[in-house]
Amino acid sequence: DAMAKSKYEYVRTFEHDPVLLPNTWVVVRLDGRGFTKFTELHSFAKPNDACALRLMNRCAEQVLRDFGDVVLAYGQSDEYSFVLHRASTLYGRRLSKVITAICSTFTAHYAFQWPQVFPADRPLRAPATFDARAMCYPTTANLRDYLSWRQADCHINNLYNTCFWALVHGGATAQEAQARLTPTVSSQKHELLFQQFKTNYNDLPAQFRKGTVLARTSLDDRPDGGDDRRRKHIVVLHEDIIGDAFWSRYSDVLD
Amino acid sequence: DAMAKSKYEYVRTFEHDPVLLPNTWVVVRLDGRGFTKFTELHSFAKPNDACALRLMNRCAEQVLRDFGDVVLAYGQSDEYSFVLHRASTLYGRRLSKVITAICSTFTAHYAFQWPQVFPADRPLRAPATFDARAMCYPTTANLRDYLSWRQADCHINNLYNTCFWALVHGGATAQEAQARLTPTVSSQKHELLFQQFKTNYNDLPAQFRKGTVLARTSLDDRPDGGDDRRRKHIVVLHEDIIGDAFWSRYSDVLD
Amino acid sequence: DAMAKSKYEYVRTFEHDPVLLPNTWVVVRLDGRGFTKFTELHSFAKPNDACALRLMNRCAEQVLRDFGDVVLAYGQSDEYSFVLHRASTLYGRRLSKVITAICSTFTAHYAFQWPQVFPADRPLRAPATFDARAMCYPTTANLRDYLSWRQADCHINNLYNTCFWALVHGGATAQEAQARLTPTVSSQKHELLFQQFKTNYNDLPAQFRKGTVLARTSLDDRPDGGDDRRRKHIVVLHEDIIGDAFWSRYSDVLD
Amino acid sequence: DAMAKSKYEYVRTFEHDPVLLPNTWVVVRLDGRGFTKFTELHSFAKPNDACALRLMNRCAEQVLRDFGDVVLAYGQSDEYSFVLHRASTLYGRRLSKVITAICSTFTAHYAFQWPQVFPADRPLRAPATFDARAMCYPTTANLRDYLSWRQADCHINNLYNTCFWALVHGGATAQEAQARLTPTVSSQKHELLFQQFKTNYNDLPAQFRKGTVLARTSLDDRPDGGDDRRRKHIVVLHEDIIGDAFWSRYSDVLD
Ligand SMILES: Nc1nc2c(ncn2[C@H]2C[C@H](O)[C@@H](COP(=O)(O)OP(=O)(O)OP(=O)(O)O)O2)c(=O)[nH]1
Ligand SMILES: Nc1nc2c(ncn2[C@H]2C[C@H](O)[C@@H](COP(=O)(O)OP(=O)(O)OP(=O)(O)O)O2)c(=O)[nH]1
Ligand SMILES: Nc1nc2c(ncn2[C@H]2C[C@H](O)[C@@H](COP(=O)(O)OP(=O)(O)OP(=O)(O)O)O2)c(=O)[nH]1
Ligand SMILES: Nc1nc2c(ncn2[C@H]2C[C@H](O)[C@@H](COP(=O)(O)OP(=O)(O)OP(=O)(O)O)O2)c(=O)[nH]1
Ligand SMILES: O=P(O)(O)OP(=O)(O)OP(=O)(O)O
Ligand SMILES: O=P(O)(O)OP(=O)(O)OP(=O)(O)O
Ligand SMILES: O=P(O)(O)OP(=O)(O)OP(=O)(O)O
Ligand SMILES: O=P(O)(O)OP(=O)(O)OP(=O)(O)O
Ligand SMILES: [Mg+2]
Ligand SMILES: [Mg+2]
Ligand SMILES: [Mg+2]
Ligand SMILES: [Mg+2]
Ligand SMILES: [Mg+2]
Ligand SMILES: [Mg+2]
Ligand SMILES: [Mg+2]
Ligand SMILES: [Mg+2]
Ligand SMILES: [Mg+2]
Ligand SMILES: [Mg+2]
Ligand SMILES: [Mg+2]
Ligand SMILES: [Mg+2]
C-alpha cells in the first residue's frame, strides 16, 4: 500500500507556494466577505456597531497572541491589517501558509467569541467569513504609508457614513442623503454635522474616527504606565498613526 | 482628505496576487493546524471520532454550497481537498482569494456548527484553525492521481492507527504497539487485527477506511435513485476513488 | 576568506525562480526588440526579407539542436515560438533559466551567423536583441490554439503589409496606402492585389504567408521521404498549422 | 480573418509575468553557460584571459548604455551582475522582460564585439550564451552584502586558481596541485605563491583579484578628475567593494 501510495506522490511536485521576499515588512489584510449583507442580517448599529468592533478587536488580539511575529495590527470597518516583522520567518514566509493561518485564526475566533461579545438576543445567525492577502513593503516609509492609507480610508468613510446616517435618521431618504453629501468636501461635512445635528465630529469616539491599533510594545499606555522594558505586551489604541507622534512614542514596535 | 489619501494609494502597487493557471483542475487542500493537540483537548475517539468526521463533512458541504465551482471534495483525518472545475473563474483564479475564501468558510462553519454536531458535554474549548494551499493539475489523470494519493494516505494511516489503538486498548504501551507494527506490511496488519482482535478490517465503517467524497452529480446515490438529469445535487460517499468504477459511475462530476 | 564569504551567502535566500507547471506544454516566445528600427538600419526588403527570414530560421534550428526537449517551433516576422514537450524537465522547469537560455542561444546565433546569411555588403551594424517569455498550456487544444493565433497573426499582417507596400511601391504615400486599406476586409485585399497589381496572393511564397514551422519528426518531408521511425530529425515547413491536416500528418511531433 | 484570429486570442490569458517588488534594488546576474568548455575551445589564458575579461567588460558597458536604470555592474569570471535602481520601472518591472532584455543585449554584444577584442587568430568558433536571473534586495545593506558575496567569490576562486595554475605550469599534475591546495587556508596560499613562485599575490592585476566594477557616477576616477556634478558617466574600477571606502567615495551611485 505504501508502494501503491508512492506512485501517486509525484503530484506533490505540482505544489508551488510563493515565498514572501525576505527582509520586508509583510502586511496581511483580512476583509469581511459580503459584510454589507452580514451587517444587515445582524442588525449592526449604523454607521458603527460597538459590539462588532469589540469582537473584531478581540479576534485581532488573538492573532497577536498566536503569532508572535505580528508586531502591530490596524483595524477599521470589516477589515484588519497585521504587520509581520521584517525579520519574521513564520512558515518560511510561504505565502499560502501565512495568509491562511492568520485568516483562519481570525475567522475561528469571530464565530467562537461572538456569544461572549454580543448579547444573547443578537445570536450569530450565519458565520462571518474573511478573505486575506499579503503585501511586502521594503521600507518603513512604505509600511507607514500603507497604514496611513488604511487610516485615511477609515476617516473618509466614517465622516461620510456619520453624515449619511445622521441625515437618514433625521428623516432623509438614502437618495436625498447621498445627493446632499456628494458635492461636499471634508470641512463641509464637519459643518453639516455641527449645524444640523449639533455634533462635533471630533467628539465622536476615537475608535470610530481613527480605527484601532494593536501594538506590541514595552511602553505602557495606562495613564500611570511607563516604559516597562522587561516585557512587551499588547496595547490597544485609537490614535492617529499618520503623523510622527505615534511612531516616536511607540518607537520600539518596529524594532 | 481624499487627496491626502490618494498620496498613499501607491502602496497598492505592492499587491501581487499570483493567478492559478487557466484550464487546470484546481485543488484547494485544508489541513487542521495542530490537530494532534486539538483532538486531545476535545477527547476525540481514537482512532476515529464519528462526531468530528460528521462536522468536517458538514463544513465541506457548506463549501460546496457556497462555491458552485467546487465539483468534488475529498476528506479524511483533519484535512479536506476541494476540486474547482478547470473552467472555474472564481475570483479571477487569484490564488490568495481562492484559498482564503474557502479556508475561512470551512473554519467559520467548524466553530459555528460544532454545537449542532457534538453533544452538550463536549463543548468547543478553543476554536479549530486550518491552513490551505492550492495546486493546479493540467489533466484529469493528474487530478485522479492526486485524489488517489490522499485516499491511499487515508488507508495507510487508518490501518496503522486501527492496529495501534487496538494494541493500546488491549494493554500495550505506545512503544510496544509501535514496535509491534513497524516491521509489518499491510497484509500482516490485517492478519493481526483478525487473529488478535477478531476484527475484519474490511468490516469497519467505510467512512474510516475510505474517507468521504462529496460530489456534485445528477446521479442519485439513493438505492432507488436514478439519473436525475434535471439538476445536480451533492452526494456523500465513502467509496474507493482510486479505481475506475467511481469515475465511470459518476462520470458527470468532472463534466 | 571562505568564512568571510559565508556571512554574505544569505543573500541567496532572496533568489526565487518561479517554476513552470509540470505536465503542461511550455511555449517560449522570442520577439525582436525594436525591429522596426533594426530592419530600417539594415535595409530589410519590404515586407519580407528573404535573408532575414533565413537567418531567423537558422537560429531557431540551432535552438532545436541545443534543446532536445523543444519539439516544435513556429516563426514569423521578428518572433519565434518554441514548444517544450509537456514532459520536459529542462532546468527543473525554472522559468528564468528556460527563457534566458533559449533567448541567449537564439540571440548569439543571430549575430554569429549573420555573415553566413547576408551578403558582404549588408554587414551587421548593431546586434539584434530579443525579449522572451514563457507560457504554460495544459492541453494540446490550448497549444494548437496558441500556434493558430500566431499563424493567424502572420497571415493578417502579411496580407496587409503586402498590400501596403504594393501601394507604396506603386506610388502611394504611406497615409494614402493606409487610408485605402483600413476599411477593407480580407477578401477585398486579395481583390486589390489581383486587380491592381496582378498578384495572386496565394502564389506568394508560402514562407511569407504561413511563416515557418520547425518540427521534430520521424516523418520525412522530402517528396520521396517516408516514415523513418529510426530517428527523429528536424523538418522545415511552411504550411497551415491551424487545420487538422498538419497534426494528422506529423502526429509524432507531440508524442 | 481578424475574427478568426480573435477566437484564439484567449491564449494570452495564460501569460503570467511575475513582477519584481517595487522599491527594491533589482540585481540581474548573467553567467556564461558551459564556459568550462567554451574557454577550452577558445584557448583562454589560465586562470585569467585578459581579452576575455575586456570583452565581458565591454558587453557590460553596453548594458549600462542601453539601460539607463542600471546604476552599477560587477563582473568576474564568466558572470556579470547588474544593479537596477530601486526606483526603476523598466518594463513595469516584469521579470521576464527585464532578464531577457539584459541577457540578450549582453549576449548579442559578446558575439558582435568578439572580433574587435580578440586577435584575428582567435576567432569565435561557437557563440557564447548566458543564463540570467533576478533578485530583489529591500535594503542597501542587503545589496552591498550581495556584491560582497560576489567579490569574495572572485577573491577565493582567483587565489585558488592562481596557485593551481602556478603549480601546474610548474610541472604538477592537476591531481597533485589539487592535493597540495585542498588543505590550505588563504594565508598559506599567499605563502605558497611567494615562496615557491616568487609571486606577491597582491601585485597581480587588480582586475584579476577584485573583478570589475562599472558605476554610473558624476565623480571622475581619473587622477585629475573631480566631482563633475553636471552629468553622470560610467567609470570602470577594480577596487574593493566590500569595505565602506568605495561606497563613501562613490556615494552618488545609489542616489
Ligand atoms: N452598519 C454597519 N455596517 C458596517 C460596520 N462595519 C462595516 N460595515 C459594513 C459597511 C460596508 O457595507 C461593509 C464593508 O465594506 P466592504 O467594501 O468590505 O464590502 P463587503 O464586505 O460587503 O464586500 P466584500 O466581500 O468585502 O467585497 O461592511 C458597522 O459597524 N456597522
Ligand atoms: N483521536 C483522533 N485524532 C484524530 C482524528 N482525526 C485526526 N486526528 C489527529 C491525528 C493526528 O495527530 C492529527 C492530524 O495529523 P497532522 O499531520 O495534520 O498533524 P497536526 O494537525 O497535529 O499538525 P499540522 O498543524 O497539520 O502540521 O489529527 C480523529 O478522528 N481522532
Ligand atoms: N522590412 C521588413 N520589416 C520587418 C520584417 N520582419 C519584421 N519586420 C519589422 C516589421 C515591424 O516593424 C517589426 C516587428 O514588429 P514588433 O511589433 O515586434 O515591433 P518592434 O520589434 O519594433 O518593437 P518591440 O520591441 O517588439 O516592441 O519588424 C521584414 O522581413 N522586413
Ligand atoms: N581559462 C579561463 N577560464 C575561465 C576564465 N573565466 C572563466 N573561466 C572558466 C572557469 C570555469 O570553468 C568557468 C566558470 O565557471 P561556472 O561555474 O560558471 O561553470 P560553467 O560556465 O562551466 O557552467 P554553468 O553553465 O555556468 O553551470 O569558466 C578565464 O579567464 N580563463
Ligand atoms: O478594498 P479591497 O482591496 O478589498 O478592494 P476590492 O475592490 O474589494 O478588491 P479585491 O478584489 O482585491 O478584494
Ligand atoms: O501533509 P502536508 O502537505 O501538510 O505536509 P506537512 O509535512 O505538514 O508540510 P507543510 O508544511 O506543507 O504543511
Ligand atoms: O506581441 P507582444 O506580445 O510582444 O505584445 P506587446 O504589445 O509587444 O506587449 P509586451 O509588452 O508583452 O511585449
Ligand atoms: O553560481 P550559480 O548561482 O549559477 O550556481 P549554480 O550551481 O550554477 O546553480 P544554478 O542552477 O542556479 O545556476
Ligand atoms: Mg475586497
Ligand atoms: Mg468586506
Ligand atoms: Mg471592507
Ligand atoms: Mg501540513
Ligand atoms: Mg493537521
Ligand atoms: Mg492532517
Ligand atoms: Mg512585445
Ligand atoms: Mg519586435
Ligand atoms: Mg514582433
Ligand atoms: Mg549557474
Ligand atoms: Mg558559467
Ligand atoms: Mg560562473
Side-chain angles (χ1 to χ4, degrees), chain B residues 11 15 22 38 48 84 123-124 127 153 155 164 168 183 186 218 225 228 251:
Chain B
V11 298
E15 274 188 35
F38 181 84
N48 293 291
L84 286 163
L124 182 59
D153 183 79
H155 170 67
F164 180 88
V168 169
S186 186
S218 56
D228 174 358
S251 62

Side-chain angles (χ1 to χ4, degrees), chain B residues 3 13 18 23 41-42 51 83 96 117 126 147 152 170 179 181 197 241 255:
Chain B
M3 237 164 67
T13 62
N23 198 24
L41 180 65
H42 295 89
C51 285
V83 180
S96 300
V117 171
L147 294 166
L181 292 171
F197 302 100
I241 54 174
D255 277 353

Side-chain angles (χ1 to χ4, degrees), chain A residues 29 31 79 131 133 149-150, chain B residues 12 15 94 97:
Chain A
R29 181 171 75 250
D31 185 278
E79 72 172 54
D131 65 30
R133 73 193 73 192
W149 176 52
R150 298 324 302 149
Chain B
R12 280 226 115 159
E15 274 188 35
R94 289 159 62 191
K97 285 276 194 181

Side-chain angles (χ1 to χ4, degrees), chain A residues 178-241:
Chain A
Q178 197 190 312
R180 172 75 181 81
L181 292 171
T182 302
T184 63
V185 296
S186 186
S187 59
Q188 295 169 313
K189 293 195 184 75
H190 280 266
E191 196 73 3
L192 169 95
L193 283 175
F194 193 67
Q195 302 295 354
Q196 203 166 334
F197 301 100
K198 307 302 163 221
T199 300
N200 189 334
Y201 181 73
N202 294 324
D203 292 342
L204 295 178
Q207 177 172 17
F208 298 171
R209 290 179 295 111
K210 299 294 178 193
T212 299
V213 178
L214 303 184
R216 216 184 280 280
T217 178
S218 57
L219 191 77
D220 208 320
D221 64 333
R222 287 165 301 181
D224 60 339
D227 183 352
D228 175 355
R229 289 280 165 201
R230 280 168 312 186
R231 210 166 157 280
K232 286 201 175 179
H233 55 280
I234 300 164
V235 297
V236 183
L237 306 164
H238 310 293
E239 294 186 13
D240 174 87
I241 55 174

Side-chain angles (χ1 to χ4, degrees), chain B:
Chain B
D1 298 16
M3 237 164 67
K5 185 184 164 197
S6 72
K7 87 164 181 244
Y8 302 124
E9 253 160 12
Y10 79 90
V11 298
R12 280 226 115 159
T13 62
F14 291 69
E15 274 188 35
H16 179 63
D17 199 358
V19 161
L20 300 159
L21 188 69
N23 198 24
T24 56
W25 298 106
V26 174
V27 176
V28 176
R29 181 171 76 251
L30 311 181
D31 184 278
R33 295 176 62 237
F35 260 51
T36 307
K37 211 175 135 198
F38 181 84
T39 54
E40 284 297 332
L41 180 65
H42 295 89
S43 313
F44 277 27
K46 290 165 178 172
N48 293 291
D49 189 287
C51 285
L53 291 176
R54 197 175 325 132
L55 179 56
M56 289 291 284
N57 295 345
R58 285 176 70 150
C59 295
E61 200 171 329
Q62 197 59 49
V63 169
L64 268 85
R65 291 198 194 291
D66 286 4
F67 298 90
D69 288 355
V70 174
V71 296
L72 181 136
Y74 174 74
Q76 56 120 335
S77 184
D78 68 338
E79 72 173 55
Y80 239 102
S81 297
F82 298 95
V83 180
L84 286 163
H85 196 278
R86 62 188 308 148
S88 173
T89 56
L90 179 65
Y91 292 120
R93 301 177 76 94
R94 289 159 62 191
L95 169 66
S96 300
K97 285 276 194 181
V98 168
I99 62 176
T100 60
I102 290 180
C103 181
S104 186
T105 299
F106 193 96
T107 301
H109 281 276
Y110 199 95
F112 185 65
Q113 299 200 24
W114 176 284
Q116 299 165 27
V117 171
F118 279 85
D121 63 350
R122 293 180 70 190
L124 182 59
R125 296 181 191 285
T129 61
F130 297 84
D131 65 29
R133 74 195 71 193
M135 287 76 63
C136 294
Y137 291 111
T139 63
T140 306
N142 291 148
L143 173 66
R144 281 191 51 187
D145 284 345
Y146 171 82
L147 294 166
S148 297
W149 177 52
R150 298 324 302 149
Q151 192 169 57
D153 183 79
C154 172
H155 170 67
I156 291 166
N157 289 337
N158 193 62
L159 179 57
Y160 181 95
N161 291 338
T162 302
C163 293
F164 180 88
W165 290 110
L167 289 165
V168 169
H169 292 148
T173 66
Q175 286 74 11
E176 287 162 357
Q178 198 191 312
R180 174 75 181 81
L181 292 171
T182 302
T184 61
V185 297
S186 186
S187 60
Q188 295 169 313
K189 293 194 184 77
H190 280 266
E191 196 73 2
L192 169 96
L193 283 174
F194 193 69
Q195 301 296 353
Q196 205 167 329
F197 302 100
K198 308 297 163 224
T199 301
N200 191 336
Y201 181 73
N202 293 325
D203 291 343
L204 294 178
Q207 176 172 20
F208 298 171
R209 292 180 293 112
K210 300 293 179 192
T212 299
V213 178
L214 303 183
R216 215 184 281 279
T217 178
S218 56
L219 191 76
D220 209 318
D221 63 333
R222 287 166 300 181
D224 59 339
D227 183 353
D228 174 358
R229 288 280 165 200
R230 280 168 312 187
R231 209 165 157 279
K232 284 199 176 182
H233 55 281
I234 301 165
V235 297
V236 184
L237 306 165
H238 310 292
E239 294 186 12
D240 175 87
I241 54 174
I242 298 178
D244 293 332
F246 172 87
W247 300 101
S248 300
R249 184 160 156 78
Y250 296 99
S251 62
D252 69 338
V253 168
L254 301 185
D255 277 353

